[in-house]
Amino acid sequence: MMNMIGEYKINRTTRRCSVGNRPLLPGEYYYSVVSGDDEEFRRVDIAADAWTGPPDGCIGHWKNRVPLPEEKKRELAPPEVLIDLLRSMADQPAMSKMRYLLALMLLRKRHLKPYEDATLIRSEPEAKDQPAADDEAVPGRDRLQLESNIDGSILTIEVADIASTEAESLQEQLVDLLYREVE
């Protein structure tokens, strides 16, 4: 089975709570929610005090915080460093979910692109008495084949199942890993 990863436009934060129709204040936590269909996506922001959980039919959601004026700005690591980090995570099974999120981020930032037409590879489950080698993909897991726009290399990334209960923690870890403070 093959699916194509299309290009979708999702608007930036409006810094307004869509439930209370009020501005989000510096330091305030809020949730961003993406919903839509195959043709069009829309993002809304909901203040934490108005959050009742993800709405029905949402595609994804994440927690954010409006920065304080005195906070230092954060800068994303250079793309070459991020691609190298993605490669190094391949040997660390404990980092598979973080690696998947990093790959999605690099796709969104256009440092990676789908490799030719085969962007999703459906793995066939192996017999239970034949475990996969440590460096092989987990049987039965989908994998993405992505090409680096930096050096043209091909990366195979396992699609990870991420529970809503672990998404916030993974997001915080990824931000801490990839961003640095700048003056």
Side-chain angles (χ1 to χ4, degrees):
M1 174 181 184
M2 294 195 319
N3 291 341
M4 293 301 295
I5 297 174
E7 290 191 30
Y8 301 101
K9 302 277 186 211
I10 299 173
N11 58 313
R12 295 183 181 270
T13 181
T14 60
R15 294 205 178 174
R16 290 193 69 79
C17 174
S18 65
V19 172
N21 194 25
R22 65 170 182 80
L24 296 167
L25 303 174
E28 184 175 8
Y29 284 93
Y30 65 97
Y31 291 84
S32 294
V33 178
V34 175
S35 58
D37 54 37
D38 289 339
E39 298 297 320
E40 187 174 333
F41 292 101
R42 131 184 131 86
R43 172 184 174 166
V44 295
D45 299 315
I46 302 170
D49 62 3
W51 180 253
T52 58
D56 290 339
C58 87
I59 296 166
H61 67 280
W62 59 96
K63 188 175 182 180
N64 295 298
R65 186 177 65 85
V66 178
L68 296 169
E70 65 273 9
E71 286 180 332
K72 292 183 177 180
K73 293 186 178 184
R74 298 186 92 183
E75 180 179 88
L76 185 62
E80 300 82 8
V81 172
L82 298 176
I83 297 290
D84 287 344
L85 177 62
L86 190 64
R87 274 192 201 96
S88 72
M89 289 176 161
D91 298 333
Q92 303 172 39
M95 298 293 284
S96 64
K97 292 178 181 184
M98 188 77 65
R99 186 172 193 250
Y100 177 60
L101 289 177
L102 177 55
L104 293 178
M105 186 198 81
L106 291 169
L107 267 168
R108 185 171 184 268
K109 296 211 172 268
R110 298 189 178 161
H111 300 306
L112 291 177
K113 64 183 177 186
Y115 176 63
E116 295 181 3
D117 293 334
T119 59
L120 180 66
I121 302 167
R122 176 84 34 162
S123 297
E124 295 299 324
E126 291 184 12
K128 290 185 180 182
D129 59 344
Q130 297 176 356
D134 288 342
D135 61 343
E136 291 179 9
V138 174
R141 281 266 177 97
D142 293 339
R143 293 174 283 142
L144 298 171
Q145 282 193 314
L146 305 172
E147 182 178 355
S148 166
N149 287 330
I150 307 300
D151 62 12
S153 63
I154 307 302
L155 298 136
T156 300
I157 310 293
E158 279 190 14
V159 175
D161 293 326
I162 299 172
S164 60
T165 55
E166 61 189 337
E168 186 175 330
S169 172
L170 285 168
Q171 178 185 3
E172 289 171 5
Q173 291 173 43
L174 194 60
V175 166
D176 288 343
L177 184 67
L178 304 179
Y179 287 85
R180 66 181 179 116
E181 291 181 356
V182 294
E183 301 271 336

Short mmCIF file of all heavy atoms in Angstrom, two decimals, residues 128-154:
data_model
loop_
_atom_site.label_atom_id
_atom_site.label_comp_id
_atom_site.label_asym_id
_atom_site.label_seq_id
_atom_site.Cartn_x
_atom_site.Cartn_y
_atom_site.Cartn_z
N LYS A 128 6.34 -15.28 14.32
CA LYS A 128 6.76 -14.97 15.68
C LYS A 128 8.08 -15.61 16.07
O LYS A 128 8.78 -15.13 16.93
CB LYS A 128 5.67 -15.38 16.68
CG LYS A 128 4.46 -14.50 16.58
CD LYS A 128 3.45 -14.85 17.65
CE LYS A 128 2.24 -13.94 17.50
NZ LYS A 128 1.25 -14.18 18.52
N ASP A 129 8.44 -16.72 15.42
CA ASP A 129 9.69 -17.38 15.78
C ASP A 129 10.88 -16.84 15.00
O ASP A 129 11.96 -17.37 15.08
CB ASP A 129 9.56 -18.90 15.58
CG ASP A 129 9.22 -19.28 14.14
OD1 ASP A 129 8.79 -18.39 13.38
OD2 ASP A 129 9.41 -20.46 13.80
N GLN A 130 10.67 -15.75 14.24
CA GLN A 130 11.75 -15.15 13.47
C GLN A 130 11.88 -13.67 13.85
O GLN A 130 11.37 -12.80 13.14
CB GLN A 130 11.48 -15.26 11.97
CG GLN A 130 11.42 -16.68 11.47
CD GLN A 130 11.05 -16.70 10.00
OE1 GLN A 130 10.77 -15.68 9.39
NE2 GLN A 130 11.05 -17.89 9.43
N PRO A 131 12.52 -13.35 14.96
CA PRO A 131 12.64 -11.94 15.35
C PRO A 131 13.50 -11.16 14.36
O PRO A 131 14.40 -11.69 13.74
CB PRO A 131 13.30 -12.00 16.73
CG PRO A 131 14.01 -13.32 16.75
CD PRO A 131 13.22 -14.25 15.86
N ALA A 132 13.19 -9.88 14.25
CA ALA A 132 13.96 -9.01 13.35
C ALA A 132 15.30 -8.69 14.00
O ALA A 132 15.44 -8.64 15.21
CB ALA A 132 13.19 -7.70 13.11
N ALA A 133 16.30 -8.48 13.17
CA ALA A 133 17.62 -8.06 13.67
C ALA A 133 17.47 -6.67 14.27
O ALA A 133 16.56 -5.92 13.93
CB ALA A 133 18.63 -8.07 12.53
N ASP A 134 18.39 -6.30 15.16
CA ASP A 134 18.31 -5.01 15.84
C ASP A 134 18.29 -3.82 14.88
O ASP A 134 17.68 -2.82 15.15
CB ASP A 134 19.49 -4.84 16.81
CG ASP A 134 19.33 -5.74 18.03
OD1 ASP A 134 18.21 -6.20 18.29
OD2 ASP A 134 20.34 -5.97 18.71
N ASP A 135 18.98 -3.95 13.75
CA ASP A 135 19.05 -2.82 12.83
C ASP A 135 17.95 -2.84 11.77
O ASP A 135 17.92 -2.00 10.90
CB ASP A 135 20.43 -2.78 12.16
CG ASP A 135 20.72 -4.04 11.34
OD1 ASP A 135 20.04 -5.06 11.55
OD2 ASP A 135 21.64 -3.98 10.51
N GLU A 136 17.03 -3.80 11.85
CA GLU A 136 15.95 -3.86 10.88
C GLU A 136 14.71 -3.21 11.46
O GLU A 136 14.55 -3.08 12.66
CB GLU A 136 15.63 -5.33 10.54
CG GLU A 136 16.73 -6.02 9.76
CD GLU A 136 16.38 -7.47 9.47
OE1 GLU A 136 15.24 -7.87 9.71
OE2 GLU A 136 17.27 -8.18 9.01
N ALA A 137 13.80 -2.83 10.57
CA ALA A 137 12.55 -2.24 10.99
C ALA A 137 11.71 -3.29 11.70
O ALA A 137 11.82 -4.47 11.45
CB ALA A 137 11.79 -1.71 9.78
N VAL A 138 10.87 -2.81 12.61
CA VAL A 138 9.99 -3.72 13.33
C VAL A 138 8.96 -4.29 12.36
O VAL A 138 8.34 -3.54 11.61
CB VAL A 138 9.27 -2.97 14.48
CG1 VAL A 138 8.23 -3.85 15.15
CG2 VAL A 138 10.28 -2.45 15.47
N PRO A 139 8.79 -5.63 12.34
CA PRO A 139 7.82 -6.23 11.43
C PRO A 139 6.41 -5.68 11.69
O PRO A 139 6.03 -5.46 12.83
CB PRO A 139 7.90 -7.72 11.76
CG PRO A 139 9.20 -7.89 12.47
CD PRO A 139 9.49 -6.60 13.14
N GLY A 140 5.68 -5.47 10.63
CA GLY A 140 4.32 -4.98 10.75
C GLY A 140 4.20 -3.48 10.90
O GLY A 140 3.11 -2.95 10.98
N ARG A 141 5.31 -2.76 10.95
CA ARG A 141 5.29 -1.31 11.09
C ARG A 141 5.45 -0.65 9.72
O ARG A 141 6.26 -1.09 8.91
CB ARG A 141 6.45 -0.84 11.96
CG ARG A 141 6.24 -1.00 13.43
CD ARG A 141 5.69 0.31 14.00
NE ARG A 141 5.40 0.17 15.39
CZ ARG A 141 6.22 0.54 16.36
NH1 ARG A 141 7.38 1.06 16.08
NH2 ARG A 141 5.87 0.40 17.61
N ASP A 142 4.71 0.42 9.52
CA ASP A 142 4.86 1.20 8.29
C ASP A 142 6.13 2.03 8.39
O ASP A 142 6.55 2.43 9.48
CB ASP A 142 3.66 2.13 8.10
CG ASP A 142 2.38 1.37 7.83
OD1 ASP A 142 2.46 0.20 7.42
OD2 ASP A 142 1.30 1.94 8.05
N ARG A 143 6.74 2.27 7.23
CA ARG A 143 7.95 3.08 7.16
C ARG A 143 7.81 4.10 6.05
O ARG A 143 7.22 3.83 5.02
CB ARG A 143 9.17 2.19 6.90
CG ARG A 143 9.48 1.26 8.06
CD ARG A 143 10.58 0.29 7.74
NE ARG A 143 10.02 -0.76 6.88
CZ ARG A 143 10.65 -1.31 5.87
NH1 ARG A 143 11.88 -0.96 5.56
NH2 ARG A 143 10.09 -2.24 5.15
N LEU A 144 8.39 5.26 6.28
CA LEU A 144 8.45 6.32 5.28
C LEU A 144 9.83 6.32 4.66
O LEU A 144 10.83 6.19 5.38
CB LEU A 144 8.21 7.69 5.91
CG LEU A 144 6.88 7.95 6.58
CD1 LEU A 144 6.93 9.28 7.33
CD2 LEU A 144 5.78 7.98 5.54
N GLN A 145 9.91 6.48 3.35
CA GLN A 145 11.20 6.70 2.70
C GLN A 145 11.26 8.16 2.32
O GLN A 145 10.42 8.67 1.59
CB GLN A 145 11.34 5.82 1.46
CG GLN A 145 11.68 4.40 1.78
CD GLN A 145 12.12 3.66 0.54
OE1 GLN A 145 11.49 3.75 -0.50
NE2 GLN A 145 13.21 2.92 0.66
N LEU A 146 12.27 8.84 2.88
CA LEU A 146 12.40 10.28 2.71
C LEU A 146 13.78 10.62 2.16
O LEU A 146 14.75 9.95 2.47
CB LEU A 146 12.18 10.97 4.05
CG LEU A 146 10.86 10.65 4.75
CD1 LEU A 146 10.84 11.22 6.15
CD2 LEU A 146 9.69 11.16 3.94
N GLU A 147 13.82 11.67 1.36
CA GLU A 147 15.08 12.13 0.77
C GLU A 147 15.46 13.47 1.38
O GLU A 147 14.64 14.37 1.49
CB GLU A 147 14.92 12.27 -0.74
CG GLU A 147 16.17 12.70 -1.45
CD GLU A 147 16.01 12.78 -2.96
OE1 GLU A 147 14.94 12.41 -3.48
OE2 GLU A 147 16.96 13.24 -3.61
N SER A 148 16.72 13.59 1.75
CA SER A 148 17.23 14.83 2.31
C SER A 148 17.43 15.85 1.19
O SER A 148 18.06 15.56 0.17
CB SER A 148 18.56 14.58 3.02
OG SER A 148 19.21 15.79 3.28
N ASN A 149 16.90 17.04 1.39
CA ASN A 149 17.16 18.14 0.45
C ASN A 149 18.53 18.75 0.69
O ASN A 149 18.99 19.56 -0.09
CB ASN A 149 16.07 19.21 0.58
CG ASN A 149 14.76 18.76 -0.02
OD1 ASN A 149 14.73 17.97 -0.95
ND2 ASN A 149 13.68 19.24 0.54
N ILE A 150 19.18 18.34 1.78
CA ILE A 150 20.50 18.87 2.11
C ILE A 150 21.58 18.12 1.35
O ILE A 150 22.44 18.72 0.72
CB ILE A 150 20.77 18.76 3.64
CG1 ILE A 150 19.64 19.40 4.45
CG2 ILE A 150 22.13 19.33 4.00
CD1 ILE A 150 19.40 20.85 4.19
N ASP A 151 21.55 16.78 1.41
CA ASP A 151 22.62 15.99 0.78
C ASP A 151 22.12 14.89 -0.17
O ASP A 151 22.92 14.13 -0.69
CB ASP A 151 23.53 15.38 1.85
CG ASP A 151 22.81 14.41 2.77
OD1 ASP A 151 21.66 14.02 2.48
OD2 ASP A 151 23.40 14.04 3.81
N GLY A 152 20.81 14.79 -0.38
CA GLY A 152 20.27 13.80 -1.31
C GLY A 152 20.20 12.39 -0.78
O GLY A 152 19.79 11.47 -1.49
N SER A 153 20.59 12.17 0.48
CA SER A 153 20.55 10.82 1.05
C SER A 153 19.11 10.38 1.29
O SER A 153 18.20 11.20 1.42
CB SER A 153 21.35 10.76 2.35
OG SER A 153 20.77 11.61 3.31
N ILE A 154 18.92 9.06 1.34
CA ILE A 154 17.60 8.47 1.56
C ILE A 154 17.56 7.93 2.99
O ILE A 154 18.46 7.21 3.41
CB ILE A 154 17.31 7.32 0.57
CG1 ILE A 154 17.54 7.78 -0.88
CG2 ILE A 154 15.91 6.77 0.77
CD1 ILE A 154 16.71 8.95 -1.32
#
